[in-house]
Amino acid sequence: MPIIQVNHLAKHFQVAEKGTGWRRTLRHFFRRQYRTVEAVRGIDFSIEPGEIVGFLGPNGAGKTTTLKMLSGLIHPTAGSVEVAGYRPFDRRREFLFQITLVMGQKQQLIWDLPARDSLRVNAAIYEIPDRVAKERVDALAGLLDMEENLTKPVRKLSLGERMKAELIAALLHHPQVLFLDEPTLGLDVNAQTTVREFLRTYCSRTGATILLTSHYMADVTALCERVLVIDEGALKYDGSLEGIREQFAPYREVKLELGQELDREDFERFGEVESVEGRVVRLLVQRETLAESVQQLMGAFEVLDLTVSDPPVEEVMGRIFQNGSS
Amino acid sequence: MRRYTRTLGRLWSASLFAEMEYRTNFVVAALNGIGTLAGTIFTLSLFYRDGFLIGGWVWTQALFIIGCFTFLDGFQAAFLGPNFQRFSEYIREGTLDFVLLKPIDSQFFVSFRNLSLWGIPNLVLGPLLILYAGFRNDPPVPLVDYLVGALALGLGTVMLYAMGFFLVTFTIWFVKLWNITIALQSIIQAGRYPISSYPPAYRFVLTYLVPVLFLTTVPAEAFSGRSETVWILGAAGLATGLLLACRLFYLFALRSYTSASS
C-alpha cells in the first residue's frame, strides 16, 4: 500500500504584478493587478514505503510547491493527497510525528545558541525523553561527524555544518517520511557526500521513505532508483533513472577519432555535432538510425577509433530543463 | 499539558540564554523599567499634591491603575512585542513552515516562543506597586479584593493578547505589519489613566470599540473594592469572545498561508 498517494493535485496562486517606475508603482499601490499562476497542474503519483524518489525539474517547475502540499504547509487548490494515511493539510498531531521537511534555504535552529539547545526544544515538542534524545542525537551526530560542533553557536558553524545540524533536528523524532528540498544546496563536495551517505544509512536502518529534490544530479544518481520529472507544474516522467534516457534521450553518443582534422559541417548530416576538438569528434545520433549512420561514417572518413555510449543522465536532464520536456 | 510546559520551559530558557549573550541589555532594561515607573508616579504625584483628583480617583486607587498598566506594559514587552515582531519574520522568510510542521499548537508556539528580558522588570514592578497601593489604601485592601483584582487583571491580559494576535494575524496576507506592536503600546498607554478622566467621546471608544476600560480601570476598581460583579462577568465574557475570535481568525488565515518561496 503506498505511503504517499497523490491524485490530480493542483495548486494555483494569485500573484500581484507590478511594473517599474513611479506611475506603475503608484498604480500598483492603489489598484493591484493579479495573475493566476498554475504552479502545479493536476499531477498523479504514488510512492511505496521505503522508496527513495528523486523529484526533478527546473526552477519554478512546481517541486517545492508539491512538497509543501505533501507536508501539509499549504492547501491544494484541487485534487487529493494522502501521506501515511492522513490528509496532510489537516495537520493531525499523529501525522506530524511521522514526517519531516528539510529545506536547504531555510533553517529552524536558533541562530545565537548551540544546536543542542534547539535539539532540547525539539525533544520536548516531540515528547522524547531526555535519555532517548541524547542517544539519538549522539547517533545522528556520529553518522554526520558532528559531535564536536553541536556545542558551538549556530551562527559560528559553516554552511555544511549547519545543514548537518538541521538534519539532526529534522530527524530527531525518527520520521517515517522525509521531504528533502535541496538538502545539499551550497555545500562543498565532501559535505554533499557525507549528507548523501548519511541519508542512505538512515533509510536502510529505519526503512524511511524519501522524496528528494536537488539540482545536484549526483544526489539523485547516488540515492534514487526512481525519479519524478516535473515541468511547468505537470508531471513529465515517472520511472527509473535509466528510463529517462529511453524517453528523453532517444539518441546515443558516437565518439570518433579521425586520421585527419575536418570541419564541423562535414558531420552535420549524420547527427547533432556536440564537439569537434582536433581529430576527435562527438556526435549525437538517433537510436533508430545508429547502425546505418555508423556504417556511413566508417565509409566516408578515415576512422581510427569509434565508441558508442549512452549520454550521461546529467546531460539528459540538463537538456530536458533547458529545452522544456514537452 | 506536560509537553507544553516542558516545551515552554525550554523555549524561554533558550530565549534567556540568547539574551544573556548580551549582558548589558538586562541592566539597561531594568533601569529603563524603573525609570519609566518612577516618571509616571512622579507625574501623578504632582497632580495629587494639590488635592486634584483624576477622574474621581484618589491617590492609592490611581496607583492601582499604574500598577495594572505597568504589568500589562511588561507583558507586552516580554511576550507580545518580541513574538509578534518575530511573526512578521516567520511570514516574510517562510520559516513559519517549521512551526506548522511541529506537533504542537502553532498559535501557542508563535505567541510564546520568545521571552524578552526587557519586559521582566515591569512584570515584577507592576504587582509590587499594586501590593504597595493595597497596603497604603485606607482601609488596607482585603485578600478577596486582591483575588478579584488579579482575576480582572488576568482577563485584561487575555484581552490584550487576543486583540494583538488578531491584528498580527493580518501579517499572513500583508506580510509587513511591524507597526502592530506600536498600536498595541498605544492601546496600553491609553490605559495609563482611569477611563473616567477622558472626555465622553474617548470614553465611548475606549470602552466599546477598543476595550481599554477592561485592561486597567476594571482591574484597578476591583483592587480598590469598588468593582461590580457585572463588570467582572462582562470582562470574562469579552475575554472569552476575543480569544475565540482571534483563534478562529488565525485558523481561517492559515488557509491562505502560501509559505515564502525557497
Side-chain angles (χ1 to χ4, degrees):
Chain A
M1 188 181 165
I3 195 163
I4 298 174
Q5 181 70 52
V6 173
N7 295 317
H8 312 305
L9 186 67
K11 181 68 188 177
H12 302 167
F13 292 108
Q14 291 285 312
V15 180
E17 294 211 311
K18 176 186 168 298
T20 52
W22 271 104
R23 199 165 59 86
R24 293 193 178 93
T25 301
L26 283 172
R27 189 195 294 162
H28 178 74
F29 186 81
F30 288 108
R31 195 198 301 170
R32 299 220 161 168
Q33 291 198 322
Y34 292 92
R35 173 172 69 91
T36 300
V37 173
E38 296 181 36
V40 177
R41 308 173 184 208
I43 61 174
D44 300 84
F45 63 85
S46 62
I47 294 175
E48 296 296 322
E51 274 194 282
I52 304 180
V53 179
F55 199 28
L56 306 174
N59 289 330
K63 304 184 296 290
T64 302
T65 304
T66 305
L67 286 193
K68 284 176 181 173
M69 286 192 280
L70 293 179
S71 54
L73 287 175
I74 56 177
H75 286 239
T77 307
S80 65
V81 191
E82 206 172 272
V83 176
Y86 297 93
R87 278 200 317 175
F89 48 86
D90 290 340
R91 278 204 285 278
R92 298 272 298 273
R93 193 168 161 269
E94 298 81 3
F95 166 72
L96 295 171
F97 267 93
Q98 294 196 43
I99 67 147
T100 199
L101 172 65
V102 176
M103 289 174 275
Q105 291 182 337
K106 295 179 186 175
Q107 64 161 52
Q108 63 167 309
L109 299 171
I110 302 167
W111 186 248
D112 284 320
L113 296 177
R116 274 202 190 271
D117 284 314
S118 297
L119 296 172
R120 271 168 50 81
V121 172
N122 277 14
I125 291 172
Y126 287 101
E127 298 177 90
I128 305 168
D130 286 341
R131 187 183 51 78
V132 178
K134 187 178 180 310
E135 283 170 10
R136 288 186 186 181
V137 169
D138 290 345
L140 293 167
L143 286 171
L144 285 162
D145 197 18
M146 274 289 286
E147 296 98 330
E148 305 290 313
N149 293 316
L150 293 179
T151 47
K152 280 190 207 168
V154 171
R155 66 172 188 272
K156 299 263 174 79
L157 298 177
S158 69
L159 186 60
E161 289 165 346
R162 217 180 303 148
M163 177 44 70
K164 290 177 188 174
E166 286 285 336
L167 277 169
I168 297 172
L171 300 178
L172 187 63
H173 59 291
H174 281 185
Q176 278 304 296
V177 183
L178 281 60
F179 298 113
L180 308 178
D181 191 14
E182 305 279 358
T184 55
L185 191 71
L187 306 192
D188 63 33
V189 176
N190 289 338
Q192 282 181 30
T193 309
T194 310
V195 169
R196 274 178 220 134
E197 281 305 313
F198 168 77
L199 291 172
R200 200 202 314 268
T201 310
Y202 179 85
C203 282
S204 66
R205 286 185 187 173
T206 62
T209 308
I210 292 185
L211 185 54
L212 163 86
T213 80
S214 178
H215 277 109
Y216 300 117
M217 278 306 294
D219 287 348
V220 178
T221 49
L223 290 170
C224 312
E225 288 182 358
R226 177 184 166 197
V227 290
L228 304 171
V229 178
I230 189 171
D231 191 23
E232 294 179 349
L235 202 62
K236 300 293 181 182
Y237 177 79
D238 177 357
S240 70
L241 198 54
E242 284 304 305
I244 283 187
R245 289 199 188 101
E246 304 288 329
Q247 185 158 335
F248 294 103
Y251 48 79
R252 303 194 81 185
E253 188 183 74
V254 177
K255 181 182 167 191
L256 301 165
E257 191 182 339
L258 303 168
Q260 62 185 68
E261 288 186 21
L262 291 168
D263 292 330
R264 173 181 279 260
E265 292 76 37
D266 296 328
F267 301 95
E268 283 177 347
R269 63 196 162 105
F270 298 101
E272 185 184 335
V273 182
E274 273 193 304
S275 64
V276 178
E277 293 168 4
R279 292 185 290 115
V280 178
V281 179
R282 292 172 195 271
L283 292 167
L284 293 178
V285 179
Q286 294 293 318
R287 283 174 196 268
E288 57 265 33
T289 61
L290 184 66
E292 188 186 340
S293 297
V294 168
Q295 202 174 9
Q296 288 175 357
L297 282 163
M298 298 286 281
F301 308 110
E302 182 193 351
V303 178
L304 302 181
D305 191 19
L306 183 148
T307 51
V308 177
S309 60
D310 281 319
V313 175
E314 286 87 339
E315 192 186 305
V316 177
M317 294 305 300
R319 279 169 173 264
I320 295 170
F321 299 160
Q322 200 173 8
N323 304 327
S325 52
S326 46
Chain B
M1 191 62 194
R2 189 175 167 273
R3 183 162 64 106
Y4 279 77
T5 51
R6 189 171 169 227
T7 303
L8 212 52
R10 292 194 174 177
L11 285 171
W12 288 356
S13 309
S15 288
L16 295 180
F17 294 162
E19 288 217 37
M20 282 161 79
E21 291 273 305
Y22 313 100
R23 283 179 294 182
T24 46
N25 238 11
F26 182 72
V27 179
V28 173
L31 291 176
N32 180 51
I34 292 167
T36 309
L37 181 66
T40 308
I41 293 172
F42 177 70
T43 310
L44 273 178
S45 70
L46 291 180
F47 284 114
Y48 281 98
R49 196 171 52 182
D50 298 329
F52 181 78
L53 295 181
I54 295 181
W57 289 59
V58 298
W59 169 237
T60 48
Q61 292 165 345
L63 285 182
F64 284 130
I65 293 251
I66 301 172
C68 294
F69 161 77
T70 305
F71 175 79
L72 290 177
D73 195 44
F75 181 70
Q76 199 285 134
F79 296 105
L80 306 189
N83 285 294
F84 290 176
Q85 277 196 359
R86 179 67 74 91
F87 192 81
S88 284
E89 289 171 30
Y90 289 143
I91 302 296
R92 199 163 45 82
E93 295 166 7
T95 45
L96 186 65
D97 294 358
F98 291 118
V99 180
L100 296 175
L101 286 169
K102 293 201 165 32
I104 194 164
D105 188 87
S106 60
Q107 182 176 348
F108 167 82
F109 191 89
V110 298
S111 299
F112 297 105
R113 174 183 175 167
N114 296 291
L115 167 65
S116 170
L117 284 175
W118 289 88
I120 291 178
N122 277 1
L123 271 178
V124 176
L125 284 172
L128 285 179
L129 189 61
I130 290 168
L131 281 175
Y132 169 76
F135 286 123
R136 285 288 305 271
N137 201 43
D138 187 22
V141 169
L143 180 63
V144 66
D145 286 349
Y146 273 122
L147 293 176
V148 177
L151 171 69
L153 184 57
L155 292 170
T157 310
V158 170
M159 283 182 230
L160 182 68
Y161 162 76
M163 285 189 286
F165 198 78
F166 195 93
L167 290 176
V168 88
T169 299
F170 281 104
T171 313
I172 290 177
W173 288 287
F174 303 119
V175 184
K176 267 193 183 180
L177 282 174
W178 287 340
N179 290 339
I180 279 173
T181 48
I182 295 173
L184 269 183
Q185 274 172 336
S186 303
I187 291 173
I188 298 170
Q189 290 291 339
R192 186 189 279 249
Y193 304 106
I195 292 295
S196 53
S197 64
Y198 288 96
Y202 277 65
R203 241 180 277 171
F204 178 83
V205 170
L206 297 177
T207 303
Y208 298 108
L209 297 184
V210 186
V212 172
L213 169 79
F214 290 97
L215 301 187
T216 52
T217 302
V218 169
E221 281 177 342
F223 281 119
S224 56
R226 301 193 303 165
S227 70
E228 294 172 28
T229 311
V230 67
W231 282 109
I232 302 295
L233 289 176
L238 192 61
T240 310
L242 285 172
L243 201 57
L244 197 63
C246 85
R247 176 68 177 176
L248 293 174
F249 187 53
Y250 173 69
L251 293 177
F252 171 72
L254 275 186
R255 291 188 67 89
S256 303
Y257 176 62
T258 53
S259 170
S261 297
S262 61

